[in-house]
Amino acid sequence: MTAYQQYFGETQQLVRQSIRRFVEQEILPHVDEWEEAGEIPRSLYLKAGAAGLLGIGHPEEYGGTGVDIFSKIAASEEVLRAGSGGLAASLGSLDIGLPPVWKWGSPALKERVCPAVIRGEKIQCLAVTEPSGGSDVASLKTRAVREGDFYRVNGSKTFITSGFHADFYTVAVRTGGEGYGGISLLLIEKGTPGFTVGNKLKKMGWWASDTAELFFDDCVVPASHLIGAENMGFYAIMANFQMERLNLAVMAYTTAELALQESLWYVQQRVAFGKPLAKFQVLRHKLAEMATQVEVAKEYAWRVAARMQAGEEVVKEVSMAKNFATDVSDRVTHEAVQIFGGMGFMRETLVERLYRDNRILSIGGGTYEIMNEVIAKQLGL
Ligand SMILES: Cc1cc2nc3c(=O)[nH]c(=O)nc-3n(C[C@H](O)[C@H](O)[C@H](O)COP(=O)(O)OP(=O)(O)OC[C@H]3O[C@@H](n4cnc5c(N)ncnc54)[C@H](O)[C@@H]3O)c2cc1C
């Protein structure tokens, strides 16, 4: 068995092949058009559901293929190879919104929400960040007051991936006092009176992903839509962050790898001063360093994933993997644009999009600085 096969066995390789085929047939022919349109079509969710893509990482009892981290990684890598972070984020918003429902929702809520989302009939997202701040989750302000069998919700959320098109929203609200001990999760459905969605936000990158503000104005939500115990939401959010952060590390090293591949191709085509760019030692060394960084970021993320899969507590290591990989993707996408020269600034090149799409990876799911705070705490500081 090769070292690679220790991570990606037969099942994971089959997943990779089937998602690669799906990407080639259903995504690559249209991805540029969707980037310009600022969204992916609803029909793609249905196709992704039918192809089994949306169910990867979710329990079989709701139509998923099971919670296997390396199948998820293989699928995420293949989807991102289409070259659109926004598309990957859109199709992936259920991966952050749905796990709290199938882990801690009531049986009725699980049945109502999970199968439809995994089939691609409904779109799921996660809404934690608020206009007043995203890093300091414990200070969130959206208030949910219990009134008999309902919660009355007031407040707002922002920067929510799939927020414009979603049907189901896993929303972090304050049900108790100040701080992390007063937070709960509620499942709120589009169409609930008092819940409105703002316009799609215009972004630097991730164009194919709809990102929106959400407003709750005396929004009345059934108490049965509480996910987990009241005032225990902070722990659920933190637990949920682990897989999200690992997946962001996967997005980062895959983005960097694509930028590297494009650069390796370009330096062999492009001629300057009578020879291909690949003959200039300064560029050869730059590419050697880029390749080294990508390799290490990838191997470390896989190592951490293997420990997570084995049930080890890897809070510190997941943060390290995310920060290392996004640091690498920042550098590699920057250098890739540099290697392409003026062409790297042109919308027709993939490196231009990779450079823009990459910028969010060290911000979303916990910023670079917040990851360092997590690491420092785990070091006992
Ligand atoms: C395209 C996109 C998609 C997103 N999707 C979602 C989504 O689906 N759901 C969702 O809930 N959120 C989502 N977010 C929000 C994202 O998670 C937040 O932007 C992120 O957590 C940072 O929060 P903030 O933007 O409020 O920045 P702030 O929290 O205001 O931070 C601003 C700066 O201060 C730094 N900072 C803050 N606190 C500290 C500290 N203690 N020490 C050192 N530095 C600190 C931060 O690192 C950052 O550099 C998305 C954001 C974007 C841009």
Side-chain angles (χ1 to χ4, degrees), residues 97-351:
L98 203 58
V101 182
W102 53 252
K103 282 185 190 158
W104 301 295
S106 70
L109 197 65
K110 290 177 189 184
E111 267 318 311
R112 175 164 167 66
V113 172
C114 300
V117 172
I118 287 170
R119 284 198 297 267
E121 293 160 7
K122 300 280 185 187
I123 298 173
Q124 172 84 44
C125 67
L126 175 73
V128 176
T129 305
E130 301 189 344
S132 59
S135 299
D136 188 5
V137 175
S139 297
L140 66 82
K141 293 182 169 54
T142 297
R143 166 75 58 188
V145 178
R146 181 89 186 237
E147 293 177 2
D149 289 341
F150 294 91
Y151 285 97
R152 185 176 294 275
V153 183
N154 281 288
S156 60
K157 299 285 171 185
T158 194
F159 306 151
I160 305 309
T161 299
S162 299
F164 191 75
H165 286 300
D167 304 286
F168 296 132
Y169 299 73
T170 299
V171 184
V173 293
R174 183 164 300 286
T175 42
E178 294 299 299
Y180 63 85
I183 294 171
S184 302
L185 290 177
L186 279 181
L187 191 285
I188 303 182
E189 296 188 39
K190 182 169 272 164
T192 307
F195 171 30
T196 50
V197 173
N199 291 327
K200 279 192 277 179
L201 299 169
K202 290 187 177 169
K203 309 186 293 294
M204 172 197 288
W206 278 19
W207 288 0
S209 160
D210 61 289
T211 310
E213 282 180 290
L214 317 176
F215 303 99
F216 304 99
D217 185 10
D218 278 338
C219 174
V220 176
V221 180
S224 59
H225 283 204
L226 179 70
I227 300 170
E230 202 176 67
N231 296 330
M232 296 298 282
F234 186 79
Y235 303 100
I237 294 165
M238 292 301 131
N240 208 42
F241 266 143
Q242 287 303 96
M243 197 55 211
E244 179 180 3
R245 288 170 182 169
L246 180 68
N247 204 44
L248 284 159
V250 173
M251 288 182 86
Y253 73 64
T254 308
T255 300
E257 193 166 43
L258 284 172
L260 171 67
Q261 283 165 1
E262 291 293 297
S263 305
L264 288 170
W265 167 80
Y266 192 71
V267 294
Q268 292 173 65
Q269 318 301 314
R270 181 74 172 174
V271 173
F273 297 93
K275 55 184 180 179
L277 295 179
K279 297 287 179 202
F280 293 101
Q281 194 177 42
V282 70
L283 294 186
R284 296 167 64 80
H285 285 193
K286 192 179 278 208
L287 284 156
E289 284 168 10
M290 289 159 71
T292 306
Q293 289 164 5
V294 171
E295 197 73 16
V296 176
K298 187 155 75 168
E299 290 284 343
Y300 184 64
W302 288 350
R303 183 82 203 119
V304 173
R307 293 179 60 186
M308 201 193 245
Q309 181 80 59
E312 286 182 40
E313 207 217 73
V314 284
V315 172
K316 179 181 73 190
E317 290 80 1
V318 166
S319 299
M320 288 173 163
K322 180 177 187 282
N323 268 6
F324 193 87
T326 58
D327 196 26
V328 164
S329 63
D330 283 352
R331 278 187 271 157
V332 171
T333 53
H334 178 91
E335 294 296 6
V337 171
Q338 193 69 21
I339 286 168
F340 269 69
M343 272 314 281
F345 200 64
M346 295 298 127
R347 295 263 298 277
E348 65 195 87
T349 61
L350 178 58
V351 292

